[in-house]
Amino acid sequence: MASRSLGGLGGNRGGGGGGGRKSLSARNAAVERRNLITVCRFSVKTLIDRSCFETIDDSSPEFNNFAAILEQILSHRLKGQVTWFGYESPRSFWDYIRVACRKVSQNCICSIENMENVSSSRAKGRAWIRVALMEKHLSEYISTALRDFKTTRRFYEDGAIVLGEEANMLAGMLLGLNAIDFSFCLKGEGLDGNFPAVIDYTPYLKFTQSSDSISSDEEELRTLGSSGSESSTPENIGPPFIMDENSWFNKCKRVKQKYQLTLEQKGYLEELLRLRENQLSESVAQNKILLQRIEDSDLAHKLEKEQLEYIIVELQDQLKSCQSLDQLSAEVSLSQTSLDPGQSQGDGKRDTLNLISEGKEDTPSLLGLCGSLTSVASYKSLTSLKSNDYLASPTTEMTSPGLTPS
């Protein structure tokens, strides 16, 4: 009876141990999934922040860490490939992506399969991550692969991230990477598939010391080092009080340093603010001067325009008056010619007489009176006779008996 009771107790203990191992395994798997998803979210945020200042390429530690995290997520609880002999060989996540992402329009699967410098499956998977990021289609690839649940179930075991609720979170957080312009070289050392990817958790770990904590990290290390040898002797009763006073002194010193740093920053900001205010006042004064100059130039332009318009009006009036004067003078000349026809006829007769007299200058009677015209004196006397009207008219000359030629 005793042996049976002991056996029953042993059986109960064995059953309890099996249940505890299962619960512990489930907890470990859940913690692992949560850790990978959380660190992936941090990595995406870090990439987005870094892309604001520089281009993301293969040399960026933020990208290398993100690629390692994504590779770990896609390789989480990935089934091995069973050979003909029944052995299970490890496989890469590229085998799953190659099958599950065939339905993506204009995918890069064939291009990566045909790459000459990439031979291993792991290297092809890393090349796919870079090409998908440069194409800004990584989130679309992951979403398409996760929707193919049958293929995903065929490649992954139970408890994998891509089979859990975390998969939807993964596709959503990768969507933010479409706003980043990546630049990668597909022939670099980052595609080497001989070494597994290792995640660096240190950029995402931050320990904030509580304000209730008295000692600093250096003092704790010093305390741990000194407490190893003679911590049990009664002579070492006093040092804790000394360490306590030193820790308070060091803490006050750190607070004082922070206060001094804050004062320096405050003075710098005040000086910067004063300079900016001076620059602003100078800019406002210059703006006022420029506005005044613009107003003065506008006023001068208006005055000049008015003067030009006045001059144009005056010139138009003068032109009109000149035209009216020309018309008036033409009318006066016409009226004078219509009122004095006799005078015009007398002028005509006088012109005809002049022409007749000029035509008869060489007649023998004139030569007999005035002598020969070969001398200048006789020609002058002839002109004087003409001007004094001593010559008779042609009719009288012909009838006068005393002027007959000899």
Side-chain angles (χ1 to χ4, degrees):
M1 293 293 291
S3 61
R4 290 179 181 176
S5 62
L6 291 173
L9 289 173
N12 292 334
R13 288 176 182 175
R21 282 193 297 271
K22 289 181 179 179
S23 62
L24 183 61
S25 176
R27 176 191 173 277
N28 292 339
V31 170
E32 186 179 6
R33 292 195 302 268
R34 187 169 62 249
N35 289 341
L36 286 174
I37 291 296
T38 303
V39 76
C40 183
R41 184 171 67 251
F42 290 158
S43 177
V44 170
K45 290 182 178 180
T46 306
L47 274 176
I48 294 174
D49 293 340
R50 178 61 62 181
S51 65
C52 299
F53 304 100
E54 61 184 17
T55 304
I56 305 299
D57 53 9
D58 295 283
S59 62
S60 174
E62 290 82 8
F63 165 73
N64 293 326
N65 213 24
F66 167 77
I69 294 168
L70 185 60
E71 186 175 343
Q72 290 283 351
I73 290 174
L74 294 177
S75 302
H76 183 249
R77 301 185 71 85
L78 183 66
K79 292 181 180 180
Q81 186 175 6
V82 181
T83 62
W84 289 98
F85 300 100
Y87 295 104
E88 186 175 348
S89 61
R91 62 170 35 156
S92 172
F93 68 93
W94 170 247
D95 299 328
Y96 164 68
I97 294 297
R98 181 183 57 186
V99 177
C101 295
R102 291 285 183 180
K103 298 179 181 179
V104 178
S105 60
Q106 299 179 357
N107 61 74
C108 59
I109 304 298
C110 295
S111 300
I112 294 175
E113 285 286 349
N114 297 327
M115 291 179 67
E116 297 179 355
N117 60 321
V118 179
S119 58
S120 64
S121 178
R122 180 182 293 172
K124 291 180 180 179
R126 292 174 180 177
W128 167 78
I129 292 175
R130 287 161 170 78
V131 173
L133 286 173
M134 287 190 291
E135 292 179 350
K136 303 181 186 298
H137 290 161
L138 181 60
S139 177
E140 183 180 357
Y141 280 109
I142 297 297
S143 300
T144 305
L146 294 178
R147 282 196 296 268
D148 191 357
F149 189 75
K150 184 177 180 181
T151 304
T152 306
R153 173 68 67 179
R154 181 160 57 92
F155 278 88
Y156 289 92
E157 299 177 356
D158 292 337
I161 295 177
V162 296
L163 293 175
E165 298 178 354
E166 297 86 357
N168 297 325
M169 298 173 57
L170 176 64
M173 70 178 64
L174 294 179
L175 190 62
L177 297 177
N178 295 341
I180 303 176
D181 294 329
F182 294 92
S183 177
F184 301 118
C185 178
L186 300 181
K187 297 181 180 180
E189 298 179 355
L191 301 181
D192 188 6
N194 297 325
F195 302 97
V198 180
I199 302 174
D200 184 13
Y201 292 96
T202 53
Y204 317 114
L205 299 177
K206 182 179 180 181
F207 174 72
T208 304
Q209 190 172 8
S210 175
S211 59
D212 298 332
S213 179
I214 298 175
S215 59
S216 61
D217 296 339
E218 294 82 2
E219 294 166 357
E220 290 177 357
L221 291 175
R222 192 163 55 248
T223 303
L224 291 174
S226 61
S227 62
S229 59
E230 298 178 354
S231 58
S232 59
T233 58
E235 289 80 10
N236 292 331
I237 298 176
F241 297 98
I242 299 175
M243 291 299 295
D244 193 8
E245 292 177 359
N246 291 332
S247 63
W248 279 107
F249 177 77
N250 292 330
K251 189 173 182 179
C252 292
K253 187 177 179 180
R254 287 196 300 271
V255 171
K256 187 176 179 181
Q257 291 176 355
K258 291 181 179 179
Y259 178 72
Q260 293 291 338
L261 181 62
T262 306
L263 284 180
E264 292 177 359
Q265 292 178 352
K266 178 177 177 290
Y268 170 73
L269 293 176
E270 288 178 351
E271 182 67 19
L272 186 62
L273 179 62
R274 186 181 63 80
L275 292 175
R276 294 294 181 266
E277 288 178 351
N278 293 335
Q279 292 177 357
L280 181 61
S281 60
E282 291 177 358
S283 301
V284 170
Q286 292 178 0
N287 190 18
K288 289 181 179 179
I289 294 172
L290 291 176
L291 289 175
Q292 186 64 33
R293 289 180 180 177
I294 292 172
E295 291 177 359
D296 295 340
S297 62
D298 289 340
L299 182 59
H301 291 162
K302 288 180 181 179
L303 293 176
E304 186 177 358
K305 183 179 178 182
E306 292 177 357
Q307 291 177 359
L308 292 175
E309 290 177 352
Y310 180 72
I311 292 171
I312 290 171
V313 170
E314 285 186 350
L315 292 175
Q316 290 177 352
D317 293 340
Q318 292 179 5
L319 182 61
K320 289 179 181 179
S321 62
C322 290
Q323 291 176 355
S324 61
L325 288 174
D326 292 339
Q327 292 177 359
L328 183 59
S329 61
E331 291 176 357
V332 169
S333 61
L334 289 174
S335 62
Q336 287 179 356
T337 54
S338 61
L339 290 175
D340 299 332
Q343 184 179 0
S344 61
Q345 292 177 358
D347 294 336
K349 290 179 179 180
R350 187 178 299 111
D351 293 337
T352 55
L353 289 174
N354 291 330
L355 290 172
I356 292 169
S357 61
E358 289 175 359
K360 293 183 177 181
E361 284 179 355
D362 297 335
T363 58
S365 61
L366 291 175
L367 289 172
L369 290 173
C370 297
S372 178
L373 293 176
T374 56
S375 63
V376 178
S378 63
Y379 182 75
K380 289 182 179 180
S381 63
L382 179 60
T383 56
S384 63
L385 288 173
K386 281 184 180 182
S387 62
N388 293 327
D389 294 335
Y390 288 117
L391 294 175
S393 64
T395 57
T396 58
E397 182 180 0
M398 294 299 294
T399 57
S400 177
L403 295 176
T404 58
S406 59

